[in-house]
Amino acid sequence: MRHRSLFILTAVVTTGALTLTACGSRDDGDKKSDSSKKTTVVIGVDAPLTGSLSALGQGIKNSVDLAAKTANKNNEVPGVEFKIEALDDQAVPASGKANAAKLVGNKDVIGAVGPLNSGVAQSMQGDFDRAGVVQVSPANTNPALSQGDDWGKGKLDRPFKTYFRTAATDVVQGKFAAQYLYNDAKKKKVYVVDDKQTYGAGLAAIFSAEFKRLGGSIAGTDHVTVKETDFSSTADKVKSSGADSVYFGGQYPEGGLLSDQIKKTGAKIPTMGGDGIYDPAFISASGVANDGDFATSIGYPVEKLPTAKKFIADYSAAGYKDPYAAYGGYSYDAGWAIVQAVKSVVAANDGKLPDDARAKVVEAMAKVSFDGVTGKVAFDEYGDTTNKQLTVYKVEGKVWKDVKSATFKD
């Protein structure tokens, strides 16, 4: 997605009678007294913790918190204690940029993950890159974030070596959606709507290109505005176009209302969208039954992954108020990737964080590889996940049910 979180790593060095850096020297007499002390590493979480997308943001925050607690319980990195600090960006780019500036200004911050939304990520990448701070997102899907603005022309150029993500890009998601709607759902004439945002517009464009390549036709296009609620004009255009389906590039607050208003015109056709609409709130936003609507989401259903059983059980046992939601598994894996990068750096420096920890963590992240909650976690030369599993969900009886999961092959 999306469009879509930010964790921060802050190294705070415990001090004794003498002031010491994380990798500072000690005399022989001091070694024994400091042997039981740990360096604290803070994993920050930047996500929309309030506002219309808070259901996703809270799941992100809690899942990273669980990763930190698990690392501590297992003593994953000897000599290091992990903690989290949650920041709220309200899904607003300006807030994300302010958070990034604040974080990189703290010399103890050595890594970051996030944010939720691709548009917010665009405002933050430069700050993190200039400071050499690693960034990993569990939800961003806009291809330009990792492959450059000319990715659509086949010119891939990684703009920021510090940026990584555990979510598959919209190149994968948009094509997968088009192939399902055309080949499996047998829809041939789609009306395309987007919310004019980085995530939504980009996803809609990729979907449209693939749908036309397959032989389908675009009945019409339109745009809606985020946080508006009256989409009757767009709904009327859809009805009069004769479209047999709708594709919406955007988030669930607008997507649910759009689906509702289209159906109220008498156009009994399904609305499909990306992971931005895959949330129970999409269904509850509609005043009429929206059975038959579709959404794609990155990865396989967490509940059906053998690799996720422990995560689900541990999350439940932790007693978090909010569910892990759509990005919980990817958030845990993003947090754990930072834990593993720190582990590698510490192990290579005689059990201590080095003076150039920021740069070393960036280097280590490129080599991270482990079996995570969502499957194999590793990154390609652009910092993109090598895991390209996706799932189509369908609304049935007021709940999302998975109808097809596959590993995407272009």
Side-chain angles (χ1 to χ4, degrees):
M1 164 174 154
R2 263 141 139 141
H3 355 311
R4 320 179 170 247
S5 334
L6 174 49
F7 315 107
I8 310 306
L9 285 176
T10 305
V12 179
V13 181
T14 304
T15 58
L18 298 177
T19 300
L20 302 170
T21 63
C23 59
S25 62
R26 298 179 173 89
D27 60 32
D28 292 340
D30 194 42
K31 286 179 180 178
K32 183 175 181 180
S33 62
D34 270 8
S35 62
S36 63
K37 296 185 178 181
K38 289 189 174 184
T39 297
T40 297
V41 170
V42 178
I43 300 179
V45 181
D46 178 279
L49 303 178
T50 59
S52 62
L53 298 178
S54 61
L56 298 172
Q58 291 293 337
I60 289 170
K61 180 193 73 174
N62 295 341
S63 298
V64 181
D65 180 66
L66 182 60
K69 289 179 177 176
T70 301
N72 294 336
K73 180 180 178 181
N74 297 344
N75 194 29
E76 189 70 17
V77 184
V80 171
E81 180 82 8
F82 291 95
K83 295 182 180 180
I84 77 161
E85 179 181 345
L87 303 176
D88 182 11
D89 64 27
Q90 297 181 310
V92 176
S95 296
K97 182 171 179 57
N99 286 342
K102 177 181 179 181
L103 293 166
V104 301
N106 181 348
K107 63 181 177 59
D108 291 330
V109 172
I110 60 174
V113 178
L116 171 71
N117 306 81
S118 291
V120 176
Q122 286 181 320
S123 74
M124 307 174 80
Q125 285 181 302
D127 289 284
F128 287 124
D129 190 68
R130 284 187 291 274
V133 177
V134 74
Q135 180 183 10
V136 187
S137 172
N140 298 160
T141 56
N142 186 278
L145 295 173
S146 58
Q147 300 175 14
D149 292 335
D150 291 330
W151 66 267
K153 300 176 183 178
K155 300 177 181 179
L156 306 187
D157 183 18
R158 187 178 184 182
F160 303 106
K161 70 180 184 300
T162 53
Y163 181 82
F164 297 81
R165 55 177 142 198
T166 56
T169 72
D170 289 334
V171 172
V172 176
Q173 186 174 194
K175 289 183 177 181
F176 185 67
Q179 291 169 11
Y180 181 86
L181 195 64
Y182 185 86
N183 295 323
D184 297 78
K186 307 299 182 184
K187 302 301 181 183
K188 310 300 179 185
K189 188 178 181 181
V190 63
Y191 197 100
V192 180
V193 183
D194 69 67
D195 63 0
K196 300 178 284 188
Q197 302 299 300
T198 301
Y199 162 71
L203 183 59
I206 295 166
F207 167 88
S208 297
E210 179 68 3
F211 194 79
K212 288 188 288 185
R213 187 191 70 81
L214 293 169
S217 63
I218 307 298
T221 62
D222 202 3
H223 312 281
V224 299
T225 301
V226 172
K227 295 186 179 180
E228 287 193 357
T229 57
D230 183 2
F231 307 128
S232 57
S233 175
T234 298
D236 289 338
K237 292 176 185 177
V238 171
K239 172 73 182 304
S240 62
S241 74
D244 60 14
S245 54
V246 175
Y247 188 81
F248 176 63
Q251 309 279 357
Y252 61 79
E254 293 75 32
L257 292 174
L258 178 65
S259 172
D260 177 70
Q261 291 170 34
I262 288 171
K263 290 173 175 57
K264 285 179 177 176
T265 67
K268 304 302 182 182
I269 59 177
T271 293
M272 186 179 202
D275 55 332
I277 73 166
Y278 175 55
D279 192 274
F282 171 86
I283 300 172
S284 61
S286 180
V288 299
N290 52 0
D291 282 16
D293 283 354
F294 298 103
T296 54
S297 190
I298 53 177
Y300 290 171
V302 170
E303 294 77 12
K304 295 187 177 182
L305 285 172
T307 54
K309 288 182 178 179
K310 188 175 187 305
F311 164 72
I312 294 172
D314 289 348
Y315 192 96
S316 177
Y320 294 113
K321 177 182 176 182
D322 301 284
Y324 50 78
Y327 300 98
Y330 296 91
S331 301
Y332 184 98
D333 284 346
W336 198 253
I338 288 204
V339 170
Q340 293 305 306
V342 172
K343 181 178 182 179
S344 175
V345 170
V346 169
N349 193 53
D350 298 325
K352 304 181 294 291
L353 282 173
D355 288 336
D356 59 346
R358 286 182 168 182
K360 285 293 192 294
V361 168
V362 172
E363 293 174 6
M365 187 61 67
K367 302 173 184 177
V368 160
S369 180
F370 62 91
D371 293 323
V373 172
T374 59
K376 190 70 174 181
V377 177
F379 307 100
D380 65 16
E381 66 269 35
Y382 301 103
D384 288 331
T385 179
T386 57
N387 184 343
K388 294 179 177 159
Q389 299 171 336
L390 296 106
T391 298
V392 175
Y393 294 86
K394 183 179 182 180
V395 178
E396 294 181 4
K398 297 185 178 181
V399 296
W400 288 109
K401 293 188 177 180
D402 56 290
V403 293
K404 182 177 182 177
S405 295
T407 297
F408 180 79
K409 296 180 181 181
D410 201 345

